[in-house]
């Protein structure tokens, strides 16, 4: 860690700070200069509060030259992590298409969509049983019954399933779920992350709407530091000033996360854009910049079918996209 | 709810949509026009998915003309809510100063700060026992022991206490806590909000870093819809492109929330700005635009004292600010 | 235009407003309803100030159901615009690679890079002569001399050139420039746009750092409404909270702009990301989601060459990217 | 300037970089360390491109320890700048109320508003003659005729006037204007800033919608570096994800700018919030956190008067606000 002290600091202030730092068990290297003193600190920084140091009157800047993430850091583990789920693999050159409805609505719907996305080329089935909704008055998902229907669809289709957890107390319902999703709003629900870190299930961790890549990786680190190395990162759009699409899909996150971490990175263009017409081009773009998987919403609803719109693709649109993605992957 | 249909919609498409909407139990009023048809929908919109409708190919726009928040809505309850905590009152013309350290560190610290902020003019004592930290390797708070020390400080100082909950399974530890804080990262941890709605304790609900005012009010609604009407809203800065201060304190939220809702609104300039020097002017500004309370960090730490910086005020700075706030409130 | 009036408006207020609107020459259609009256307005809205109307106390909402952009609007001109520059074409299925150094530095540099990017597959040469810099103390470009050197490079290489204008009074220097660039900071320099609208040169209009797609299209409209239809839109990253890359490349803008407008859309991944390593994957992603061109920085500088970093690609990296883009375009 | 080199850099790479830096005329101090080498650079950094250096493969980070702003920097000029305009003074403890209509509409309007705001307590009259509008089809202001009417209002009321310039070629029309405003969209129109720097008139420089405080100060520096020290900074809201108010008023900018610079800081709550009801509380908040002036829109329009809404205050509301501001200033 590098601390740049202000030029106008008195030597008493500097000495006082240095002896305090040493008292915290840190090794302090001093580089005097005509623009102010620079301190190089070596040792266990967990004991000190960097924000506090940065706010001290005599401190110009503090820069941590080591990354705060360890287990998910590519520097410490250069090999790509490959997550195996059923017959599918994600990461390290393996690609997975994850598809299914936003919410599980009933038996007929989920079984039919499962068959359709499998036929179209999906490797995993997604579907929401517990739905985080902004309003307490909106539909909150089928809950335990939704999980039961997803497991039935898994048995019938052979597709492994991905579904979201919102409350750690519901964990036992997820015993046969293949991949547990943590939604954007829970990306920093640290107690939930810690508990999931005690399982061995793959966790699909969605980036929060206003979270940096560093924060996403630190949340992965919460899971990994408890022992579960099976984390899949998911970019699903961030919140910006623009309002044409629902959120701003930050695809540059894909190569940046690959540079910073060995974990696989999946992209969800359906939630990011909120418009079916934007899903295929953005799914293609995600593949072109190196995503290890794409997660898209697919429906079988007659109202959708009639109007050919909304956030979800219909089964034919999905099969067409899956074909294009395979062609694209053959050239990159 | 108003739906504006695209001019180029065919009458078959429009009829199909109208009959579907009626099938969902909605009353549909049709306003044909040369720019396209406008539909007015009346009835229980919980059954339908507005985002889905907005995404249909023939739909230009959907606008919900009723607010989604009910119990926190000033239209339905014009009287200001007043929250009573010990001898303090917040809202409806009553103002409270909430002060204390970021984290409870040890018995001596919290007892001393409690005495000092009481002497300086605080009505409530704040202090973190469970600390949400971006990194799993950072100090996570004293936990249950922190709560125990806060309760000791409460008994000795007579000040009611405010502290944060991160996990609903810890709720029983908060039995004697006066105000339970929900932090910015948990603002949309809906299962936590629902459980807190089953208690009768005042809840201080912090706005998330990227959450709109509507979303903040909907989260208050999660608590209130379960029966707990004692919600205090808290503006603590939002995340924007600017990086001089830690976050961007959105003070316009204060009069806007007062217009939209009858709930009291408190401002936390310490977390928003991250710099002690900015806390007094922004606390004054918060009072000037109508905040019902201000929450500031106060420390008693010799390192702080030495360097006269960091995010927290020292006890003298706090007492000085409290005096200025009283003078300001006397003229507004 | 649709105006939704508040339910609590009195009939006197509503009548007063309606007669004022009629006095402005608008046709007013009235749709009374139990949730409040809706007014449909037809006529020339240029005479009235929509923001003023939206702010009136009795007005719940105003929604303009017609798009504000006319000449760039795909609805009014469904055919893709194709811009021809020398032998290159941009738009309507034609793709162009634009490459060159950030700044023109000297004769040797620009002539060498021109040769190299032509050999690598570029259709146009870019280079900055007038450089918008945040600081007055930073290098501001070679100015008129830079233009002269670019024209020399054009003659020697045969590549048409793209370079930025910052001041309308410099327009005569651009007589032989093929494409005039308007930088992100000048996207809403309306007087500059109007003057460029009086020329017939292709204008490459970069999106401002905090501008919506609607604003970008309205700025194109400023150029087109003066008679110049040759506008190329350019996405180059927006400003958000995240700081890993320099800006957040908003690739979803590509299919959205194509839906809204017939103008070609080019992407600049070099300025958006600020890191050479991110340029190839984001250029590929831009092509995959339908960009009509990609603009990349290429240098010939030994310091760059040594360190293999920075924002610019070297000539070999560029040639490699150009080859990959051709392969990608063959499958989409 | 501090450069932190990556630990894995080879000594050949480091030596090569150091000799290149020395070749640029910089003094290079080398601090080897076990976490990588740190270089301290002293000399004229205008010759080198910091972004380029930061992007080099062997560079971990570059940090400029000197501020890039010189003439506006409080470190180099601790005394507050006081701008005198007619009888009004702004800065250094002097406060000015600036009021008037958004646009000059006609003689009767501007003369009447001038009388009203003077009676209400304004020290300066504002009014738009050249209006930057997103759409070329919207009202663009009265132009030269608007300036003429403002000067008439100045003569009749005795109030100095503030009005916006959009094009440097219009400068001669501003000969008798007291304060020239540079709008948010032109904050980085560097050629315009340079030309205004050659005049001696006070310049009211509005912060761009997505500009950092550093960028605002650098734009002030463009004016000052040409010789004009009379710059007034203006916070008028930034663009964020929230949409309840038009923009997010960043009041923390007031004390931050005062810390960084000696220039006066004015706040415009009318444009920031877009709603008349929010203008008084936010004007009060601006005063409470130390603003040197407040600029508010005041109208005399019967439609406004009828409906009691919109962005502008009416003359009575303005007079009431002026009185409250005086009371507030008496206690701070």
């Amino acid at each position: 860690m590098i601390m740049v002290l202000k030029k106008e600091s008195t030597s008493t202030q500097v000495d006082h700070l240095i002896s305090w730092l040493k008292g915290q068990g840190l090794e302090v290297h001093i580089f005097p200069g005509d623009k102010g003193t620079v301190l190089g600190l070596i040792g266990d920084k967990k004991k000190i509060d960097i924000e506090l140091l940065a706010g001290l009157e005599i401190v110009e800047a503090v820069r941590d030259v080591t990354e705060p993430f360890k287990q998910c850091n590519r520097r410490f583990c250069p090999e790509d992590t490959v997550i195996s789920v059923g017959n599918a693999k994600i990461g390290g050159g393996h690609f997975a298409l994850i598809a299914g409805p936003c919410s599980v609505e009933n038996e007929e719907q989920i079984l039919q969509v499962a068959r359709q996305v499998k036929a179209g080329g999906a490797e995993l089935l997604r579907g929401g049983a517990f739905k985080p909704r902004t309003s307490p008055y909106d539909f909150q998902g089928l809950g335990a019954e939704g999980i039961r229907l997803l497991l039935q669809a898994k048995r019938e289709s052979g597709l492994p399933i991905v579904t979201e957890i919102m409350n750690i107390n519901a964990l036992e319902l997820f015993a046969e779920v293949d991949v547990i999703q943590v939604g954007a709003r829970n990306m920093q629900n640290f107690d939930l992350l810690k508990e999931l870190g005690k399982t061995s299930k793959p966790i699909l961790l969605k980036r929060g709407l206003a979270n940096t890549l560093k924060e996403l990786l630190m949340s992965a680190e919460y899971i990994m530091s408890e022992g579960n190395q099976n984390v899949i990162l998911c970019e699903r759009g961030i919140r910006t000033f623009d309002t044409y699409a629902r959120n701003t899909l930050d695809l540059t996150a894909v190569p940046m996360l690959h540079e910073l971490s060995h974990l696989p990175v999946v992209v969800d263009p359906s939630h990011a854009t909120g418009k079916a017409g934007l899903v295929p081009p953005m799914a293609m773009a995600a593949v072109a910049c190196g995503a290890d998987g794409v997660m898209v919403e697919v429906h079988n609803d007659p109202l959708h079918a009639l109007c050919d719109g909304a956030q979800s693709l219909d089964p034919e649109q999905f099969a067409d996209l899956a074909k294009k993605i395979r062609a694209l992957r053959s050239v990159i």
Side-chain angles (χ1 to χ4, degrees), chain A residues 313-332:
Chain A
L313 301 182
D314 66 29
E316 295 74 45
Q317 291 169 325
F318 170 70
D320 184 53
L321 172 60
K323 206 183 299 176
K324 282 185 183 149
I325 287 176
R326 278 191 295 272
L328 175 54
R329 281 186 51 81
S330 72
V331 301
I332 59 171

Side-chain angles (χ1 to χ4, degrees), chain A residues 9 40 158 227 232 311:
Chain A
S9 316
I232 302 164
Q311 175 175 307

Side-chain angles (χ1 to χ4, degrees), chain A residues 64-319:
Chain A
D64 198 354
V65 290
T66 58
E67 271 107 359
F69 28 98
K70 314 288 179 201
Q71 300 199 44
C72 65
N73 197 326
R74 189 175 286 278
R75 288 200 192 183
F76 307 136
C77 170
E79 288 287 294
D80 285 339
T81 289
V82 180
I83 308 274
S84 294
V85 192
N87 296 322
K89 287 187 172 165
I90 306 177
H94 303 278
F95 180 89
L97 254 175
I98 308 171
C102 184
S103 299
V104 179
E105 294 170 23
N106 55 56
E107 183 178 321
E108 185 196 344
Q109 173 237 22
I110 190 64
L111 295 184
Q112 188 181 339
V113 175
R115 276 190 300 272
Q116 289 169 328
V117 300
K118 190 180 185 189
E123 277 96 8
L124 287 94
L125 174 68
R126 58 144 290 152
F130 294 96
K131 300 296 298 174
R133 302 302 301 265
T134 303
S135 167
Y137 309 120
D138 287 342
F139 175 58
Q140 311 267 321
L142 295 183
E145 171 66 4
I147 302 273
R148 196 187 63 72
L149 293 174
L150 278 168
L151 292 174
Q152 189 180 339
K154 172 184 173 178
R155 281 189 302 273
E156 298 206 3
S157 67
L159 292 176
I161 60 172
V162 185
T163 195
E164 180 168 350
I165 195 166
M166 288 177 60
N167 186 331
I168 197 59
N169 297 332
L171 187 58
E172 64 186 29
L173 292 171
F174 289 72
E176 293 172 67
V177 167
D178 300 279
V179 178
I180 301 180
Q181 176 176 313
V182 175
R185 293 179 182 84
N186 275 319
M187 193 202 90
Q188 292 192 315
N189 182 338
F190 300 121
D191 283 30
L192 177 60
L193 300 177
K194 283 181 196 169
E195 291 301 317
L196 294 174
K198 293 172 188 159
T199 73
S200 58
K201 285 198 184 292
I203 308 298
L204 190 144
L205 178 64
K206 287 194 153 187
R207 181 183 182 186
L209 280 170
N211 287 108
T212 62
L213 298 186
K214 180 184 153 185
E215 288 169 342
L216 173 61
L217 290 170
M218 291 314 298
S219 287
E221 198 77 19
Y222 261 99
I223 298 167
M224 297 170 84
S225 67
E226 297 287 335
N228 184 353
Q229 307 299 308
N230 300 308
V231 180
I232 302 164
L233 305 171
C234 181
E235 162 63 30
R236 46 79 69 227
I238 57 173
R239 195 165 259 185
T240 71
F241 62 86
D242 203 2
T243 54
Y244 259 98
R246 187 191 294 154
N247 296 121
T248 298
L249 183 65
D250 178 17
L251 281 183
T252 314
V254 177
M256 284 193 291
L257 288 170
H258 278 151
E259 188 184 322
L260 295 166
S261 175
H262 50 85
L263 295 174
V265 181
V266 158
V267 171
D268 176 350
S270 300
H271 282 86
T273 65
K275 293 179 181 170
L278 296 171
V279 171
M282 300 324 292
M284 294 292 278
V287 174
C289 67
D292 302 297
V294 165
M295 181 152 82
V296 296
E297 287 196 9
V298 177
H299 67 82
N300 70 335
D301 183 282
L303 178 63
H304 281 90
L306 164 73
C307 296
D308 196 42
Q311 175 175 307
S312 297
L313 301 182
D314 66 29
E316 295 74 45
Q317 291 169 325
F318 170 70

